[in-house]
C-alpha cells in the first residue's frame, strides 16, 4: 500500500511546511521576546487573563503575521494533500471498499453520528472525518506537515509516550477509543503482542483506511464503528481502554459520557489512559494564549473547554482510583537539526476499583 504523493506534489506540501517552520522559528520566538519584556514584573494571574493578553497582542503585527500564516498554511496544507490524491481517487476508494485481509472491520451503517461530529471540519480538514471517503489517508499525510514531523518517522510518538507511563501490567484485552487511522496505537499493541486488541471510531472512512493500513502492516486488530459516548461493546471486559487526542475534539458533555463509558467497559482493576497535550494551566501564559487561538480559528471548537477541564476530578467523580497525570516529552523527530521543538504529552490515568490486574 504505497500512498505517497508524487515528487512535485510532495514538493508543494514541503513548501507549505516551510511556512509553518517560518512561524515556529522566526515569528514565534520574536513574539516571545516581546512578551517577556512586556510581562516582566506582572503577576501571572494578570498574564493568564485572556482579555489582557488580547489587548496587548491581538493587534501586534508579529502576532497577526504569525496567526495569519498559521491559518493560510493550514488551509493550503489540506488543499494540497487532497489535490495530490484527486487523480488517484477512484483507485484508492475502490481499494478502501475491499474487505481488509486478515483484519476484522465491523461497520455500523445505521449509526447516527452527533451533530458536533458531522458539523465540524476538524483541524480545518476539508470534508471532515465523516463525509470525505479519503479522510484517513488525507489526515495521515497532512498531519506529518501539520506537526512538522515532530511525531517521528512512524507518526506514533504519542503511543510511545502513553506506553512510557502506563502501569506495568499484562493487559490481555485492550481497546483504543477514537482510533482514527489507528497508527498512534501501534506501540501499545507491540508492547502486548498476546493481547486481544480492539480499536473503535465513529467515522467509517477513518476505519476503512485504518483497517487497510493495519492489514498492510500485518496487524491483528478488530475495528468497530461505534460512538465512544455509548460504545456497542461488551462491558466489564477490557483491561486497558485508552484514547489519544480524542477528548479535546468533543464537547464537555460528551467527554463525561466517554469517561463513564470507559469505566463500564473496563474489568475490575482495568486502566483508563487519556493522552493529550498539556492543559493551559500547565504551560506558560503566552503558550496558553497562542494555543487558545486554535479554538476559534483552526477547527478546534471544543479545545478551550477541554483545556480548562479538571479531567482528574472527572475521573474521580466517575469512580476511578489512583488517578494521576504523567508527563512524557517527545523526541522532536528523528533529526533534532531538521525539526522544530518537542511536544509535551500529558497522560491522565485511572484504575477501576476491584481486583488488581494480573
Amino acid at each position: 500500500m504505497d500512498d505517497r504523493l508524487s515528487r512535485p506534489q510532495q514538493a508543494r506540501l514541503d513548501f507549505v511546511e516551510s511556512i509553518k517552520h517560518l512561524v515556529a522559528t522566526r515569528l514565534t520566538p520574536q513574539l516571545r521576546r516581546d512578551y517577556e519584556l512586556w510581562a516582566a514584573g506582572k503577576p501571572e494571574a494578570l498574564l493568564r487573563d485572556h482579555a489582557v493578553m488580547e489587548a496587548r497582542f491581538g493587534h501586534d503585527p508579529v502576532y497577526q503575521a504569525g496567526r495569519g500564516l498559521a491559518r493560510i498554511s493550514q488551509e493550503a496544507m489540506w488543499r494540497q494533500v487532497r489535490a495530490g490524491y484527486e487523480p488517484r481517487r477512484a483507485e484508492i476508494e475502490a481499494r478502501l471498499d475491499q474487505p481488509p485481509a486478515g483484519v476484522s472491520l465491523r461497520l455500523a451503517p445505521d449509526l447516527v453520528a452527533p451533530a458536533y461530529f458531522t458539523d465540524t471540519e476538524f483541524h480545518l480538514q476539508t470534508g471532515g472525518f465523516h463525509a470525505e471517503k479519503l479522510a484517513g489517508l488525507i489526515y495521515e499525510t497532512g498531519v506529518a506537515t501539520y506537526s512538522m514531523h515532530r511525531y517521528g518517522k512512524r507518526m506514533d510518538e504519542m503511543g510511545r509516550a502513553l506506553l512510557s507511563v502506563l502501569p506495568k501490567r499484562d493487559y490481555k484485552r485492550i481497546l483504543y477509543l477514537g482510533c482514527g487511522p489507528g497508527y498512534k496505537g501501534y506501540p501499545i499493541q507491540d508492547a502486548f503482542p498476546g493481547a486481544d486488541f480492539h480499536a473503535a471510531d465513529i467515522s467509517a472512512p477513518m476505519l476503512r483506511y485504518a483497517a487497510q493500513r493495519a492489514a498492510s502492516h500485518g496487524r491483528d486488530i478488530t475495528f468497530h464503528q461505534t460512538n465512544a459516548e455509548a460504545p456497542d461493546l461488551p462491558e466489564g471486559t477490557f483491561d486497558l481502554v485508552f484514547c489519544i487526542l480524542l477528548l479535546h475534539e468533543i464537547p464537555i458533555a460528551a467527554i463525561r459520557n466517554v469517561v463513564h463509558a470507559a469505566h463500564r467497559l473496563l474489568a475490575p482493576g482495568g486502566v483508563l489512559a487519556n493522552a493529550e497535550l498539556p492543559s493551559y494551566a500547565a504551560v506558560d501564559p503566552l503558550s496558553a494564549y497562542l494555543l487558545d487561538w486554535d479554538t476559534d480559528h483552526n477547527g478546534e471548537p471544543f479545545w478551550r473547554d477541554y483545556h480548562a477541564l479538571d479531567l482528574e476530578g472527572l475521573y474521580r467523580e466517575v469512580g476511578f482510583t489512583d488517578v494521576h497525570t504523567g508527563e512524557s516529552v517527545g523526541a522532536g523527530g528523528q533529526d533534532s537539526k531538521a525539526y522544530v521543538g518537542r511536544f509535551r504529552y500529558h497522560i491522565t490515568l485511572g484504575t477501576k476499583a476491584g481486583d488488581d490486574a494480573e
Side-chain angles (χ1 to χ4, degrees):
M1 189 169 92
D2 186 356
D3 289 321
R4 288 174 293 183
L5 295 172
S6 69
R7 293 285 298 245
Q9 291 161 343
Q10 184 61 52
R12 294 186 186 98
L13 195 57
D14 290 344
F15 174 74
V16 173
E17 185 170 346
S18 74
I19 298 174
K20 292 181 177 294
H21 192 275
L22 172 69
V23 173
T25 61
R26 300 292 295 276
L27 296 178
T28 302
Q30 180 59 56
L31 187 67
R32 182 163 293 281
R33 288 191 288 270
D34 295 343
Y35 162 78
E36 288 174 352
L37 286 172
W38 170 77
K42 293 181 173 65
E44 182 167 327
L46 182 71
L47 301 175
R48 291 195 177 276
D49 185 324
H50 184 85
V52 171
M53 293 291 284
E54 184 68 15
R56 168 58 183 85
F57 292 103
H59 298 285
D60 183 276
V62 177
Y63 172 80
Q64 289 192 333
R67 296 302 88 194
L69 287 173
R71 173 74 185 217
I72 290 168
S73 63
Q74 190 76 349
E75 293 174 342
M77 176 187 74
W78 295 124
R79 230 177 10 251
Q80 179 53 44
V81 173
R82 201 176 192 192
Y85 288 122
E86 202 60 41
R88 298 172 51 200
R89 175 177 287 275
E91 165 209 335
I92 297 170
E93 286 185 2
R95 186 189 74 213
L96 293 174
D97 284 338
Q98 296 300 311
V103 172
S104 176
L105 174 59
R106 302 173 181 177
L107 297 178
D110 296 330
L111 179 65
V112 178
Y116 68 75
F117 179 73
T118 58
D119 292 349
T120 302
E121 290 188 333
F122 297 98
H123 322 121
L124 306 182
Q125 182 172 332
T126 308
F129 294 163
H130 70 290
E132 168 58 73
K133 291 186 176 181
L134 305 189
L137 175 58
I138 290 171
Y139 173 86
E140 179 171 357
T141 304
V143 162
T145 296
Y146 188 5
S147 65
M148 290 179 285
H149 293 82
R150 283 177 289 177
Y151 287 144
K153 190 171 291 186
R154 292 186 298 275
M155 299 289 289
D156 62 357
E157 182 172 271
M158 286 200 76
R160 288 182 276 121
L162 189 151
L163 183 63
S164 72
V165 301
L166 202 60
K168 306 303 180 186
R169 298 177 183 173
D170 183 17
Y171 301 97
K172 292 183 169 60
R173 189 170 166 85
I174 299 173
L175 173 62
Y176 180 8
L177 278 179
C179 66
Y183 56 83
K184 292 186 181 77
Y186 287 1
I188 310 300
Q189 186 183 32
D190 291 342
F192 306 99
D196 182 13
F197 196 90
H198 296 251
D201 202 280
I202 200 168
S203 166
M206 281 286 187
L207 288 170
R208 286 193 176 95
Y209 177 72
Q212 292 283 350
R213 194 187 195 285
S216 71
H217 286 76
R219 293 186 174 274
D220 182 10
I221 301 175
T222 300
F223 290 94
H224 307 263
Q225 185 184 10
T226 191
N227 186 341
E229 293 188 64
D232 185 17
L233 295 167
E235 297 183 358
T237 60
F238 292 96
D239 302 310
L240 170 65
V241 173
F242 72 94
C243 45
I244 298 173
L245 294 180
L246 167 65
L247 297 188
H248 80 260
E249 305 287 18
I250 61 179
I252 295 297
I255 293 174
R256 296 181 66 85
N257 290 338
V258 170
V259 175
H260 276 280
H263 192 268
R264 293 194 301 270
L265 292 171
L266 285 165
V271 172
L272 171 61
N274 171 65
E276 280 278 359
L277 299 181
S279 67
Y280 291 175
V283 299
D284 67 90
L286 178 62
S287 294
Y289 175 66
L290 293 176
L291 284 169
D292 192 66
W293 176 87
D294 283 33
T295 305
D296 299 316
H297 304 290
N298 198 39
E300 299 281 10
F302 312 111
W303 179 265
R304 179 180 298 134
D305 289 343
Y306 170 78
H307 285 286
L309 174 68
D310 178 8
L311 187 58
E312 288 190 6
L314 176 57
Y315 271 43
R316 294 187 181 96
E317 176 188 326
V318 169
F320 284 100
T321 62
D322 191 23
V323 176
H324 62 283
T325 298
E327 179 171 295
S328 179
V329 178
Q334 303 300 309
D335 181 352
S336 60
K337 294 181 180 178
Y339 300 98
V340 181
R342 301 180 178 189
F343 284 125
R344 287 171 58 207
Y345 306 114
H346 278 191
I347 300 93
T348 303
L349 300 139
T351 301
K352 182 174 180 175
D355 298 333
D356 290 337
E358 293 181 8

